[in-house]
Amino acid sequence: MPGSSTVTVHADREVLPNRAVAPPIYQTAAFSAPDGETFARGAVEPRGKDFYTRFGNPNHAQVAAVVAELEGTEAAMVTASGMAALTTAVLALVSAGDHVIGQRSTYGGTASVLLNLLPRFGVATTLVDQTDPEAFAKALTPQTRLILVETPSNPLLQITDLRAVSDLARAHGVPTMADNTFATPLNQRPADFGIDLVWHSATKYLNGHTDVSAGVLAGPAELLDKVWDTGLLTGAVLGPFDAWLLLRGMRTLPLRMPRHNANGQALAEALHAHPAVSRVHYPGLASHPQHRLAAEQMSGFGGVLGVEFTDGYEAADAFLGRLRYARRSASLGGVESLAVHPASMWRGMLDDEQIAASVPPGLVRLAAGTEDTADLVADVVAAADAVGAAVGAAVGAATVGD
């Protein structure tokens, strides 16, 4: 198999061969057919590329070809967002009376699907401690029809044993889905460990430039055809221009990820012993309780880390306000560094009780971009120093007052 850089540049060349070096943008809602037979075939062909853009578009097919080869899967498909990929797949695979297993540590949108959306349609859900493979086995019921995992998890960077989960699921005939957004196929390929479907918020690392909202799913063609059928009804279609931008971003994924990995590791090492910080959540640290498992199923640890401040929300907010390079923003995976307070961001997806159960109030999610490592390290250390100094001054003033 060719290397990842070769794949991202050439895997889509045969999707719609032409003489253009840069792929054209197929900015059209519909395509004409030369005859009735071709038209009738296009109306039912799963994941097509030249019937109607809701059914598929050449730009969609190009992205799918690259993603499938990167993830080592038979096929792939695109959606309008990562959440569209998740919800479309889940709605395709479960029905009223079914049961789904998810993780306690997971993205807020995923948690909201499990806790708030699926129960409205008669689907029961159980969230388990992903760090304990036995927890998945204990949660299984005769009605379990899907297991959702995310590793590393957002925002606590916990690791799920992909092989253990996939072995368990296959023994019981239950399909599995893994969110691979944080890792990317450059650092981890869940299908290599037996996971059935892999999904991404392609808005993040795959695109890499914070100018597209998109999602992708990769897995067996037969399973994706079923998801595609539901996708036709939900209509969560990605625009051709956005698909083109996503493809262009993926061309440089193998060039960007090593810098994201290096910057994430450097920031984690710089902050994990800082006096203002109580804990750094990053699987690349030897102190991470699942570092060994992470090293077994990942080739790099990504650019995202969770930084937990000793003095809670006020310290976290002060840290965010003092950063020079990392801007306060809800996204990640772009060339620019971003940072956010997850407990605040997730209030639009979960209620206060659900947030308190999954996200510490003093946690900052820091997403390292591709800036120079030394500049990012100096920036976060200076911000943490300022937070520590402010806390020390407040404590001193209180002591004098006493």
Side-chain angles (χ1 to χ4, degrees), residues 121-142:
F121 298 100
V123 178
T125 62
T126 302
L127 303 189
V128 302
D129 176 4
Q130 77 193 71
T131 66
D132 178 14
E134 287 299 314
F136 290 92
K138 293 175 182 176
L140 274 172
T141 76

Side-chain angles (χ1 to χ4, degrees), residues 323-346:
L323 291 172
R324 177 182 179 188
Y325 296 118
R327 285 179 283 183
R328 195 186 306 238
S329 177
S331 195
L332 60 99
V335 294
E336 64 288 303
S337 292
L338 301 175
V340 71
H341 181 244
S344 297
M345 178 176 64
W346 289 0

Side-chain angles (χ1 to χ4, degrees), residues 292-380:
R292 179 175 295 182
L293 174 60
E296 289 174 358
Q297 58 189 37
M298 301 179 73
S299 58
F301 303 109
V304 180
L305 55 150
V307 184
E308 204 167 335
F309 286 87
T310 305
D311 290 287
Y313 169 76
E314 289 75 14
D317 189 61
F319 174 79
L320 287 167
R322 289 185 175 274
L323 291 172
R324 177 182 179 188
Y325 296 118
R327 285 179 283 183
R328 195 186 306 238
S329 177
S331 195
L332 60 99
V335 294
E336 64 288 303
S337 292
L338 301 175
V340 71
H341 181 244
S344 297
M345 178 176 64
W346 289 0
R347 294 187 69 186
M349 298 176 283
L350 300 171
D351 62 35
D352 290 344
E353 185 177 348
Q354 291 167 342
I355 292 172
S358 59
V359 184
L363 183 78
V364 167
R365 189 187 72 190
L366 187 57
T370 61
E371 299 96 337
D372 288 298
T373 305
D375 293 332
L376 291 183
V377 169
D379 188 27
V380 300

